[in-house]
Amino acid sequence: LSTVDESLFSAQAGRLAAAGSLPTSTGNRDFAERLLVDFSHGNVGAFPPNPAAIQAASAAFVDEHSAYSPYRGHGSVRNRVAGNLRTFVGGPVDPDRQLIITPGTQGGLFLALNALIGAGEQVAIADPDYFADARIAAFIGATPHYVPLEYLEGHSELDLGALEAALRGGARVLCLSNPNNPTGVTYDATQLGRIADLLEKWNGFLISDELYSRLDFGEAPIAHAWSIPALRDRSVSLLGPSKTESLSGFRVGVAIGPAAIIDKMERIQSIVSLRAAGYAQTVLGTWLEEDPAWLANRIESHRWIRDQITGRWSSVPGLQLAPPRAGSYLFPRLPATAFSTQQILARMRSELGIVATDGAEFGPAGAGSFRINFSQDPQVVVAAAELMAVLIESQHAR
Amino acid sequence: LSTVDESLFSAQAGRLAAAGSLPTSTGNRDFAERLLVDFSHGNVGAFPPNPAAIQAASAAFVDEHSAYSPYRGHGSVRNRVAGNLRTFVGGPVDPDRQLIITPGTQGGLFLALNALIGAGEQVAIADPDYFADARIAAFIGATPHYVPLEYLEGHSELDLGALEAALRGGARVLCLSNPNNPTGVTYDATQLGRIADLLEKWNGFLISDELYSRLDFGEAPIAHAWSIPALRDRSVSLLGPSKTESLSGFRVGVAIGPAAIIDKMERIQSIVSLRAAGYAQTVLGTWLEEDPAWLANRIESHRWIRDQITGRWSSVPGLQLAPPRAGSYLFPRLPATAFSTQQILARMRSELGIVATDGAEFGPAGAGSFRINFSQDPQVVVAAAELMAVLIESQHAR
């Protein structure tokens, strides 16, 4: 889907320039399918995996012991990952008791929520946050309590009064992502400490989705839940190499947490799909061991792309946007116009060949916004950002 | 785990011969961990994957479009698999509407049961059958109705009176595996036709786990559910390359069924783990396209191993065993002795370094039996079968 079709783009830009405004929807299905860019996920062609990871997976194919593993994953891989995580998350991790390898970080989120809550129970969810939190809760038959997250100032302000009300009302778990998906704001140690105090007071539990924490622009501190001693007994942290490292095609992630919860997650994993693919688990061995220059370059490239988009979009009247401090998502709020977000996104898709995700998927507070994953070919992003800006401006002007 | 340690085996055989009977349990943990053979799953070292599958996965790593796919899997792979399945399962399969790629066949079973039943509902399960049926039902909060399966005559006789009673009592779905895991008996078209009649009468649905249907010794007909027109609207068939083809390390499988059920399974998949690993899906493209000689050789090797074991075990007093007609499982019923199945399996593990699975895991009818997956190094199997026979005989004699 993420095909970059230069001729399509040139044609589009030409039409745009010639018309002085946007063409009306053609309803041409063929055209819509020839996408300029799919912003709903990153492009691993633009940011390819570390070759060492690919090498590890290829070597696994000829190692007869790598096909099957315990449900929680290969012991050798858990050992290596736990050792590498110690520095990254700010505390020792027991590879046998406190860690499970999951089928992607999504798989870890599913296991964690199923281990912690049941039908008829309640779960607090930051608003906005990753859409799977609420979907998994609904699958379980649990009820979401949305806890407002202020993010447009560029830092996270979780409404602690609303969190306490949710916990008082019976919520047993708080789900948040740090850095936040979709906004890119981060939680620091002070904020997590305050959240920990409330969780201790009400005997609550935290699921901390830290999938994007390595793509850190160094502009705002990100505190890992594991670095807060009070949270080690009452949180599961979800991590993995799917984003910064472009290893999403392997579907592997890692969850760390108290031994009893990890045990329960493993029992559920044995029911859901047995294990993360045995061969794919081996790529985790190379994770967090990359050349620091490789990682620095990856972060700098994303910072450059972010700055190109925010630079252009800051001049779009009425568009509200806080540059993300980490991760590769942008979550602008559209200006109020006669057109719905759905209508504008439909036009982007049909007329520009650009796919973005409706903000309403990320919770009630996301209505009126949209999300893009800007981990894409830099040239294409610059062009697409220009096209999108013109489309939004043209809507606004009507 | 499936390490073949020749010196360990020789030492064991030597001790056995010298003592004229079995040594008592040493309680030595190191020794128990140096396994002669782990019969709980197949050994992909003994029966390696088809090189074309490995090649496909390696090529996927450098194809930027293969990392992500729709939740139901890559369209190109679904097309190719659906075409190849047509002949195998005996009917056309719509690649866009009637097929989903799953994280292993286990993942497909989890999705199918979750799409078809909810908490408080009932599910009929052949007894014995694959242990995950009941575990997934329990996870959902559904109640199992066991339907006795007579298998010791070497062909399957599902108790249709018990099935009708279960359906009359409210069971909405019947789970069975064909060939049956753990016994290796098969259902033919006449039997499936009778089951279809009952499902139509009571508006029931079938989940047909056909994971082992390619390792077919040609001694008894296996009817695919898809080949029975009456079942196409009321069954999901689960298939995949994890067993005969030794591709379990990739965790990919396929489910086919009515479009509405496949849609529901995809929605659940989007919640559970998003998709089967994008790279791994590509190995399915090579599936069912192998050189016929390769497949014939694989089947013949397994037949040879099966006959070696059954030949030796047929002389063990009191051991009941029907040679499997397909698949790589043997499910002998132990002679009645003063020792429990658990005790005998514990001695096999601690004294012989041999792991087998307790039959009680496969349903109430499995108590007193054990299961081995004989897809192992042939020499090791012959030796292990001898050791196990001596152990069982020695128990019997006491």
Side-chain angles (χ1 to χ4, degrees), chain A residues 105-106 109 129-133 174-181 187 206-213 222 224-225 236-240 243:
Chain A
T105 299
Q106 172 89 15
L109 182 59
D129 205 272
Y130 178 46
F131 48 69
D133 300 341
L174 167 67
C175 292
L176 59 78
S177 45
N178 184 21
N180 176 259
N181 173 357
Y187 299 84
L206 175 68
I207 296 179
S208 177
D209 175 353
E210 299 168 4
L211 179 56
Y212 295 86
S213 54
I222 306 172
H224 290 276
V236 169
S237 301
L238 307 172
L239 300 119
K243 300 298 172 180

PDB file of all heavy atoms in Angstrom, chain A residues 105-106 109 129-133 174-181 187 206-213 222 224-225 236-240 243:
ATOM      1  N   THR A 105       3.444  -6.188  20.097  1.00  0.00           N
ATOM      2  CA  THR A 105       3.051  -5.464  21.303  1.00  0.00           C
ATOM      3  C   THR A 105       1.535  -5.476  21.441  1.00  0.00           C
ATOM      4  O   THR A 105       0.991  -5.482  22.545  1.00  0.00           O
ATOM      5  CB  THR A 105       3.632  -4.045  21.248  1.00  0.00           C
ATOM      6  OG1 THR A 105       5.059  -4.167  21.205  1.00  0.00           O
ATOM      7  CG2 THR A 105       3.265  -3.244  22.485  1.00  0.00           C
ATOM      8  N   GLN A 106       0.824  -5.537  20.302  1.00  0.00           N
ATOM      9  CA  GLN A 106      -0.638  -5.703  20.341  1.00  0.00           C
ATOM     10  C   GLN A 106      -0.999  -6.999  21.073  1.00  0.00           C
ATOM     11  O   GLN A 106      -1.890  -7.015  21.921  1.00  0.00           O
ATOM     12  CB  GLN A 106      -1.185  -5.741  18.924  1.00  0.00           C
ATOM     13  CG  GLN A 106      -2.669  -6.095  18.825  1.00  0.00           C
ATOM     14  CD  GLN A 106      -3.561  -4.881  18.911  1.00  0.00           C
ATOM     15  OE1 GLN A 106      -3.105  -3.757  18.767  1.00  0.00           O
ATOM     16  NE2 GLN A 106      -4.836  -5.100  19.148  1.00  0.00           N
ATOM     17  N   LEU A 109      -0.631  -6.482  24.729  1.00  0.00           N
ATOM     18  CA  LEU A 109      -1.723  -5.678  25.286  1.00  0.00           C
ATOM     19  C   LEU A 109      -2.961  -6.551  25.500  1.00  0.00           C
ATOM     20  O   LEU A 109      -3.637  -6.464  26.538  1.00  0.00           O
ATOM     21  CB  LEU A 109      -2.030  -4.521  24.323  1.00  0.00           C
ATOM     22  CG  LEU A 109      -3.105  -3.513  24.715  1.00  0.00           C
ATOM     23  CD1 LEU A 109      -2.766  -2.817  26.027  1.00  0.00           C
ATOM     24  CD2 LEU A 109      -3.288  -2.470  23.610  1.00  0.00           C
ATOM     25  N   ASP A 129      -5.978   7.799  23.415  1.00  0.00           N
ATOM     26  CA  ASP A 129      -4.926   6.786  23.525  1.00  0.00           C
ATOM     27  C   ASP A 129      -5.161   5.761  22.412  1.00  0.00           C
ATOM     28  O   ASP A 129      -6.146   5.835  21.673  1.00  0.00           O
ATOM     29  CB  ASP A 129      -4.923   6.114  24.905  1.00  0.00           C
ATOM     30  CG  ASP A 129      -3.555   5.536  25.286  1.00  0.00           C
ATOM     31  OD1 ASP A 129      -3.276   4.376  24.940  1.00  0.00           O
ATOM     32  OD2 ASP A 129      -2.753   6.276  25.904  1.00  0.00           O
ATOM     33  N   TYR A 130      -4.235   4.805  22.320  1.00  0.00           N
ATOM     34  CA  TYR A 130      -4.271   3.798  21.249  1.00  0.00           C
ATOM     35  C   TYR A 130      -5.628   3.096  21.216  1.00  0.00           C
ATOM     36  O   TYR A 130      -6.110   2.628  22.237  1.00  0.00           O
ATOM     37  CB  TYR A 130      -3.139   2.798  21.466  1.00  0.00           C
ATOM     38  CG  TYR A 130      -3.085   1.666  20.468  1.00  0.00           C
ATOM     39  CD1 TYR A 130      -3.212   1.910  19.102  1.00  0.00           C
ATOM     40  CD2 TYR A 130      -2.883   0.356  20.889  1.00  0.00           C
ATOM     41  CE1 TYR A 130      -3.145   0.870  18.186  1.00  0.00           C
ATOM     42  CE2 TYR A 130      -2.811  -0.689  19.978  1.00  0.00           C
ATOM     43  CZ  TYR A 130      -2.952  -0.420  18.640  1.00  0.00           C
ATOM     44  OH  TYR A 130      -2.885  -1.454  17.730  1.00  0.00           O
ATOM     45  N   PHE A 131      -6.218   2.994  20.016  1.00  0.00           N
ATOM     46  CA  PHE A 131      -7.603   2.525  19.916  1.00  0.00           C
ATOM     47  C   PHE A 131      -7.827   1.094  20.397  1.00  0.00           C
ATOM     48  O   PHE A 131      -8.945   0.732  20.744  1.00  0.00           O
ATOM     49  CB  PHE A 131      -8.162   2.700  18.500  1.00  0.00           C
ATOM     50  CG  PHE A 131      -7.277   2.195  17.387  1.00  0.00           C
ATOM     51  CD1 PHE A 131      -7.048   0.849  17.208  1.00  0.00           C
ATOM     52  CD2 PHE A 131      -6.685   3.099  16.495  1.00  0.00           C
ATOM     53  CE1 PHE A 131      -6.252   0.390  16.168  1.00  0.00           C
ATOM     54  CE2 PHE A 131      -5.883   2.639  15.451  1.00  0.00           C
ATOM     55  CZ  PHE A 131      -5.666   1.283  15.284  1.00  0.00           C
ATOM     56  N   ALA A 132      -6.781   0.286  20.442  1.00  0.00           N
ATOM     57  CA  ALA A 132      -6.985  -1.113  20.839  1.00  0.00           C
ATOM     58  C   ALA A 132      -7.363  -1.247  22.313  1.00  0.00           C
ATOM     59  O   ALA A 132      -8.001  -2.226  22.691  1.00  0.00           O
ATOM     60  CB  ALA A 132      -5.745  -1.935  20.537  1.00  0.00           C
ATOM     61  N   ASP A 133      -6.975  -0.277  23.161  1.00  0.00           N
ATOM     62  CA  ASP A 133      -7.343  -0.359  24.584  1.00  0.00           C
ATOM     63  C   ASP A 133      -8.846  -0.590  24.716  1.00  0.00           C
ATOM     64  O   ASP A 133      -9.299  -1.533  25.374  1.00  0.00           O
ATOM     65  CB  ASP A 133      -7.004   0.947  25.324  1.00  0.00           C
ATOM     66  CG  ASP A 133      -5.528   1.305  25.287  1.00  0.00           C
ATOM     67  OD1 ASP A 133      -4.699   0.412  25.010  1.00  0.00           O
ATOM     68  OD2 ASP A 133      -5.211   2.487  25.542  1.00  0.00           O
ATOM     69  N   LEU A 174      -5.490   1.112  34.676  1.00  0.00           N
ATOM     70  CA  LEU A 174      -5.353   2.289  33.816  1.00  0.00           C
ATOM     71  C   LEU A 174      -4.487   1.903  32.621  1.00  0.00           C
ATOM     72  O   LEU A 174      -3.399   1.361  32.793  1.00  0.00           O
ATOM     73  CB  LEU A 174      -4.689   3.439  34.585  1.00  0.00           C
ATOM     74  CG  LEU A 174      -4.201   4.619  33.712  1.00  0.00           C
ATOM     75  CD1 LEU A 174      -5.381   5.369  33.068  1.00  0.00           C
ATOM     76  CD2 LEU A 174      -3.330   5.584  34.532  1.00  0.00           C
ATOM     77  N   CYS A 175      -4.979   2.190  31.415  1.00  0.00           N
ATOM     78  CA  CYS A 175      -4.190   1.990  30.195  1.00  0.00           C
ATOM     79  C   CYS A 175      -3.697   3.337  29.699  1.00  0.00           C
ATOM     80  O   CYS A 175      -4.514   4.248  29.460  1.00  0.00           O
ATOM     81  CB  CYS A 175      -5.040   1.395  29.079  1.00  0.00           C
ATOM     82  SG  CYS A 175      -5.559  -0.284  29.368  1.00  0.00           S
ATOM     83  N   LEU A 176      -2.394   3.451  29.500  1.00  0.00           N
ATOM     84  CA  LEU A 176      -1.867   4.642  28.834  1.00  0.00           C
ATOM     85  C   LEU A 176      -0.686   4.237  27.977  1.00  0.00           C
ATOM     86  O   LEU A 176      -0.062   3.192  28.203  1.00  0.00           O
ATOM     87  CB  LEU A 176      -1.493   5.734  29.840  1.00  0.00           C
ATOM     88  CG  LEU A 176      -0.461   5.463  30.935  1.00  0.00           C
ATOM     89  CD1 LEU A 176       0.965   5.513  30.398  1.00  0.00           C
ATOM     90  CD2 LEU A 176      -0.617   6.508  32.046  1.00  0.00           C
ATOM     91  N   SER A 177      -0.372   5.063  26.995  1.00  0.00           N
ATOM     92  CA  SER A 177       0.810   4.836  26.178  1.00  0.00           C
ATOM     93  C   SER A 177       1.783   5.984  26.423  1.00  0.00           C
ATOM     94  O   SER A 177       1.372   7.134  26.559  1.00  0.00           O
ATOM     95  CB  SER A 177       0.453   4.724  24.686  1.00  0.00           C
ATOM     96  OG  SER A 177      -0.459   5.724  24.294  1.00  0.00           O
ATOM     97  N   ASN A 178       3.075   5.641  26.485  1.00  0.00           N
ATOM     98  CA  ASN A 178       4.101   6.629  26.816  1.00  0.00           C
ATOM     99  C   ASN A 178       5.352   6.368  25.996  1.00  0.00           C
ATOM    100  O   ASN A 178       6.057   5.411  26.276  1.00  0.00           O
ATOM    101  CB  ASN A 178       4.419   6.554  28.315  1.00  0.00           C
ATOM    102  CG  ASN A 178       5.417   7.614  28.758  1.00  0.00           C
ATOM    103  OD1 ASN A 178       5.590   8.619  28.088  1.00  0.00           O
ATOM    104  ND2 ASN A 178       6.075   7.377  29.890  1.00  0.00           N
ATOM    105  N   PRO A 179       5.653   7.146  24.956  1.00  0.00           N
ATOM    106  CA  PRO A 179       4.915   8.326  24.521  1.00  0.00           C
ATOM    107  C   PRO A 179       3.515   7.975  24.044  1.00  0.00           C
ATOM    108  O   PRO A 179       3.287   6.869  23.568  1.00  0.00           O
ATOM    109  CB  PRO A 179       5.762   8.878  23.384  1.00  0.00           C
ATOM    110  CG  PRO A 179       6.600   7.736  22.936  1.00  0.00           C
ATOM    111  CD  PRO A 179       6.854   6.919  24.149  1.00  0.00           C
ATOM    112  N   ASN A 180       2.639   8.953  24.187  1.00  0.00           N
ATOM    113  CA  ASN A 180       1.246   8.729  23.849  1.00  0.00           C
ATOM    114  C   ASN A 180       1.041   8.519  22.353  1.00  0.00           C
ATOM    115  O   ASN A 180       1.536   9.288  21.530  1.00  0.00           O
ATOM    116  CB  ASN A 180       0.419   9.937  24.333  1.00  0.00           C
ATOM    117  CG  ASN A 180      -1.049   9.838  23.929  1.00  0.00           C
ATOM    118  OD1 ASN A 180      -1.467  10.483  22.969  1.00  0.00           O
ATOM    119  ND2 ASN A 180      -1.825   9.036  24.631  1.00  0.00           N
ATOM    120  N   ASN A 181       0.327   7.453  22.035  1.00  0.00           N
ATOM    121  CA  ASN A 181      -0.196   7.220  20.692  1.00  0.00           C
ATOM    122  C   ASN A 181      -1.661   7.629  20.775  1.00  0.00           C
ATOM    123  O   ASN A 181      -2.397   7.046  21.546  1.00  0.00           O
ATOM    124  CB  ASN A 181      -0.065   5.733  20.344  1.00  0.00           C
ATOM    125  CG  ASN A 181      -0.728   5.361  19.036  1.00  0.00           C
ATOM    126  OD1 ASN A 181      -1.344   6.186  18.378  1.00  0.00           O
ATOM    127  ND2 ASN A 181      -0.619   4.087  18.673  1.00  0.00           N
ATOM    128  N   TYR A 187       5.076  11.133  29.373  1.00  0.00           N
ATOM    129  CA  TYR A 187       4.903  11.214  30.826  1.00  0.00           C
ATOM    130  C   TYR A 187       6.288  11.161  31.462  1.00  0.00           C
ATOM    131  O   TYR A 187       7.081  10.268  31.130  1.00  0.00           O
ATOM    132  CB  TYR A 187       4.078  10.048  31.345  1.00  0.00           C
ATOM    133  CG  TYR A 187       2.664   9.955  30.794  1.00  0.00           C
ATOM    134  CD1 TYR A 187       2.418   9.330  29.567  1.00  0.00           C
ATOM    135  CD2 TYR A 187       1.576  10.463  31.512  1.00  0.00           C
ATOM    136  CE1 TYR A 187       1.125   9.227  29.071  1.00  0.00           C
ATOM    137  CE2 TYR A 187       0.272  10.361  31.018  1.00  0.00           C
ATOM    138  CZ  TYR A 187       0.059   9.741  29.786  1.00  0.00           C
ATOM    139  OH  TYR A 187      -1.215   9.628  29.300  1.00  0.00           O
ATOM    140  N   LEU A 206      -1.416  -0.587  36.392  1.00  0.00           N
ATOM    141  CA  LEU A 206      -1.112   0.195  35.193  1.00  0.00           C
ATOM    142  C   LEU A 206      -0.680  -0.716  34.042  1.00  0.00           C
ATOM    143  O   LEU A 206       0.126  -1.624  34.241  1.00  0.00           O
ATOM    144  CB  LEU A 206       0.020   1.183  35.500  1.00  0.00           C
ATOM    145  CG  LEU A 206       0.549   2.018  34.319  1.00  0.00           C
ATOM    146  CD1 LEU A 206      -0.501   3.027  33.837  1.00  0.00           C
ATOM    147  CD2 LEU A 206       1.843   2.746  34.711  1.00  0.00           C
ATOM    148  N   ILE A 207      -1.224  -0.469  32.856  1.00  0.00           N
ATOM    149  CA  ILE A 207      -0.652  -1.043  31.632  1.00  0.00           C
ATOM    150  C   ILE A 207      -0.016   0.112  30.866  1.00  0.00           C
ATOM    151  O   ILE A 207      -0.697   1.041  30.440  1.00  0.00           O
ATOM    152  CB  ILE A 207      -1.710  -1.756  30.770  1.00  0.00           C
ATOM    153  CG1 ILE A 207      -2.278  -2.953  31.533  1.00  0.00           C
ATOM    154  CG2 ILE A 207      -1.094  -2.210  29.439  1.00  0.00           C
ATOM    155  CD1 ILE A 207      -3.366  -3.714  30.774  1.00  0.00           C
ATOM    156  N   SER A 208       1.323   0.060  30.770  1.00  0.00           N
ATOM    157  CA  SER A 208       2.094   1.149  30.171  1.00  0.00           C
ATOM    158  C   SER A 208       2.631   0.700  28.814  1.00  0.00           C
ATOM    159  O   SER A 208       3.559  -0.109  28.737  1.00  0.00           O
ATOM    160  CB  SER A 208       3.244   1.520  31.119  1.00  0.00           C
ATOM    161  OG  SER A 208       4.048   2.528  30.555  1.00  0.00           O
ATOM    162  N   ASP A 209       2.035   1.208  27.751  1.00  0.00           N
ATOM    163  CA  ASP A 209       2.425   0.838  26.388  1.00  0.00           C
ATOM    164  C   ASP A 209       3.569   1.757  25.957  1.00  0.00           C
ATOM    165  O   ASP A 209       3.359   2.927  25.653  1.00  0.00           O
ATOM    166  CB  ASP A 209       1.200   0.983  25.486  1.00  0.00           C
ATOM    167  CG  ASP A 209       1.513   0.732  24.014  1.00  0.00           C
ATOM    168  OD1 ASP A 209       2.697   0.578  23.663  1.00  0.00           O
ATOM    169  OD2 ASP A 209       0.557   0.696  23.219  1.00  0.00           O
ATOM    170  N   GLU A 210       4.786   1.217  25.969  1.00  0.00           N
ATOM    171  CA  GLU A 210       5.986   2.016  25.692  1.00  0.00           C
ATOM    172  C   GLU A 210       6.597   1.648  24.337  1.00  0.00           C
ATOM    173  O   GLU A 210       7.804   1.751  24.127  1.00  0.00           O
ATOM    174  CB  GLU A 210       6.985   1.840  26.845  1.00  0.00           C
ATOM    175  CG  GLU A 210       6.383   2.313  28.171  1.00  0.00           C
ATOM    176  CD  GLU A 210       7.184   1.920  29.425  1.00  0.00           C
ATOM    177  OE1 GLU A 210       8.272   1.334  29.289  1.00  0.00           O
ATOM    178  OE2 GLU A 210       6.684   2.202  30.534  1.00  0.00           O
ATOM    179  N   LEU A 211       5.744   1.254  23.412  1.00  0.00           N
ATOM    180  CA  LEU A 211       6.207   0.779  22.109  1.00  0.00           C
ATOM    181  C   LEU A 211       7.034   1.819  21.364  1.00  0.00           C
ATOM    182  O   LEU A 211       7.936   1.478  20.609  1.00  0.00           O
ATOM    183  CB  LEU A 211       4.986   0.362  21.265  1.00  0.00           C
ATOM    184  CG  LEU A 211       5.256  -0.145  19.858  1.00  0.00           C
ATOM    185  CD1 LEU A 211       6.212  -1.326  19.853  1.00  0.00           C
ATOM    186  CD2 LEU A 211       3.946  -0.539  19.174  1.00  0.00           C
ATOM    187  N   TYR A 212       6.727   3.105  21.585  1.00  0.00           N
ATOM    188  CA  TYR A 212       7.405   4.162  20.817  1.00  0.00           C
ATOM    189  C   TYR A 212       8.515   4.849  21.587  1.00  0.00           C
ATOM    190  O   TYR A 212       9.037   5.866  21.138  1.00  0.00           O
ATOM    191  CB  TYR A 212       6.369   5.204  20.371  1.00  0.00           C
ATOM    192  CG  TYR A 212       5.368   4.629  19.422  1.00  0.00           C
ATOM    193  CD1 TYR A 212       4.233   3.982  19.892  1.00  0.00           C
ATOM    194  CD2 TYR A 212       5.596   4.663  18.047  1.00  0.00           C
ATOM    195  CE1 TYR A 212       3.332   3.404  19.022  1.00  0.00           C
ATOM    196  CE2 TYR A 212       4.708   4.089  17.177  1.00  0.00           C
ATOM    197  CZ  TYR A 212       3.570   3.460  17.663  1.00  0.00           C
ATOM    198  OH  TYR A 212       2.690   2.882  16.808  1.00  0.00           O
ATOM    199  N   SER A 213       8.885   4.307  22.757  1.00  0.00           N
ATOM    200  CA  SER A 213       9.759   5.063  23.659  1.00  0.00           C
ATOM    201  C   SER A 213      11.193   5.194  23.168  1.00  0.00           C
ATOM    202  O   SER A 213      11.965   5.991  23.708  1.00  0.00           O
ATOM    203  CB  SER A 213       9.732   4.433  25.055  1.00  0.00           C
ATOM    204  OG  SER A 213      10.046   3.062  25.008  1.00  0.00           O
ATOM    205  N   ILE A 222      11.012  10.964  29.098  1.00  0.00           N
ATOM    206  CA  ILE A 222      10.079   9.835  29.106  1.00  0.00           C
ATOM    207  C   ILE A 222      10.486   8.937  30.265  1.00  0.00           C
ATOM    208  O   ILE A 222      11.608   8.447  30.288  1.00  0.00           O
ATOM    209  CB  ILE A 222      10.179   8.996  27.815  1.00  0.00           C
ATOM    210  CG1 ILE A 222      10.001   9.871  26.570  1.00  0.00           C
ATOM    211  CG2 ILE A 222       9.164   7.860  27.833  1.00  0.00           C
ATOM    212  CD1 ILE A 222      10.281   9.119  25.276  1.00  0.00           C
ATOM    213  N   HIS A 224      10.105   5.408  32.091  1.00  0.00           N
ATOM    214  CA  HIS A 224       9.558   4.060  31.960  1.00  0.00           C
ATOM    215  C   HIS A 224       8.891   3.665  33.270  1.00  0.00           C
ATOM    216  O   HIS A 224       9.427   3.937  34.345  1.00  0.00           O
ATOM    217  CB  HIS A 224      10.672   3.069  31.618  1.00  0.00           C
ATOM    218  CG  HIS A 224      11.210   3.259  30.233  1.00  0.00           C
ATOM    219  ND1 HIS A 224      10.621   2.703  29.127  1.00  0.00           N
ATOM    220  CD2 HIS A 224      12.258   3.984  29.776  1.00  0.00           C
ATOM    221  CE1 HIS A 224      11.292   3.054  28.041  1.00  0.00           C
ATOM    222  NE2 HIS A 224      12.294   3.838  28.406  1.00  0.00           N
ATOM    223  N   ALA A 225       7.739   3.013  33.186  1.00  0.00           N
ATOM    224  CA  ALA A 225       7.031   2.594  34.405  1.00  0.00           C
ATOM    225  C   ALA A 225       7.949   1.752  35.292  1.00  0.00           C
ATOM    226  O   ALA A 225       7.915   1.870  36.517  1.00  0.00           O
ATOM    227  CB  ALA A 225       5.769   1.815  34.041  1.00  0.00           C
ATOM    228  N   VAL A 236       2.276  -3.549  34.081  1.00  0.00           N
ATOM    229  CA  VAL A 236       2.874  -4.314  32.984  1.00  0.00           C
ATOM    230  C   VAL A 236       3.320  -3.287  31.950  1.00  0.00           C
ATOM    231  O   VAL A 236       2.539  -2.407  31.567  1.00  0.00           O
ATOM    232  CB  VAL A 236       1.875  -5.297  32.352  1.00  0.00           C
ATOM    233  CG1 VAL A 236       2.429  -5.875  31.048  1.00  0.00           C
ATOM    234  CG2 VAL A 236       1.551  -6.435  33.314  1.00  0.00           C
ATOM    235  N   SER A 237       4.590  -3.371  31.528  1.00  0.00           N
ATOM    236  CA  SER A 237       5.098  -2.498  30.473  1.00  0.00           C
ATOM    237  C   SER A 237       5.180  -3.294  29.181  1.00  0.00           C
ATOM    238  O   SER A 237       5.650  -4.431  29.166  1.00  0.00           O
ATOM    239  CB  SER A 237       6.488  -1.967  30.820  1.00  0.00           C
ATOM    240  OG  SER A 237       6.457  -1.252  32.025  1.00  0.00           O
ATOM    241  N   LEU A 238       4.720  -2.671  28.104  1.00  0.00           N
ATOM    242  CA  LEU A 238       4.744  -3.311  26.785  1.00  0.00           C
ATOM    243  C   LEU A 238       5.788  -2.619  25.925  1.00  0.00           C
ATOM    244  O   LEU A 238       5.779  -1.387  25.789  1.00  0.00           O
ATOM    245  CB  LEU A 238       3.372  -3.198  26.130  1.00  0.00           C
ATOM    246  CG  LEU A 238       2.200  -3.706  26.973  1.00  0.00           C
ATOM    247  CD1 LEU A 238       0.875  -3.367  26.306  1.00  0.00           C
ATOM    248  CD2 LEU A 238       2.312  -5.205  27.206  1.00  0.00           C
ATOM    249  N   LEU A 239       6.694  -3.400  25.359  1.00  0.00           N
ATOM    250  CA  LEU A 239       7.769  -2.855  24.525  1.00  0.00           C
ATOM    251  C   LEU A 239       7.959  -3.748  23.311  1.00  0.00           C
ATOM    252  O   LEU A 239       7.417  -4.848  23.260  1.00  0.00           O
ATOM    253  CB  LEU A 239       9.072  -2.798  25.331  1.00  0.00           C
ATOM    254  CG  LEU A 239       9.027  -1.942  26.597  1.00  0.00           C
ATOM    255  CD1 LEU A 239       9.311  -2.795  27.824  1.00  0.00           C
ATOM    256  CD2 LEU A 239      10.009  -0.794  26.522  1.00  0.00           C
ATOM    257  N   GLY A 240       8.734  -3.278  22.363  1.00  0.00           N
ATOM    258  CA  GLY A 240       8.992  -4.113  21.194  1.00  0.00           C
ATOM    259  C   GLY A 240       9.676  -3.356  20.080  1.00  0.00           C
ATOM    260  O   GLY A 240       9.793  -2.132  20.120  1.00  0.00           O
ATOM    261  N   LYS A 243       8.395  -0.542  15.747  1.00  0.00           N
ATOM    262  CA  LYS A 243       8.273   0.817  15.212  1.00  0.00           C
ATOM    263  C   LYS A 243       9.624   1.428  14.859  1.00  0.00           C
ATOM    264  O   LYS A 243      10.035   1.389  13.712  1.00  0.00           O
ATOM    265  CB  LYS A 243       7.508   1.676  16.220  1.00  0.00           C
ATOM    266  CG  LYS A 243       6.104   1.142  16.491  1.00  0.00           C
ATOM    267  CD  LYS A 243       5.251   1.140  15.233  1.00  0.00           C
ATOM    268  CE  LYS A 243       3.915   0.432  15.444  1.00  0.00           C
ATOM    269  NZ  LYS A 243       3.100   0.422  14.245  1.00  0.00           N
TER     270      LYS A 243
END
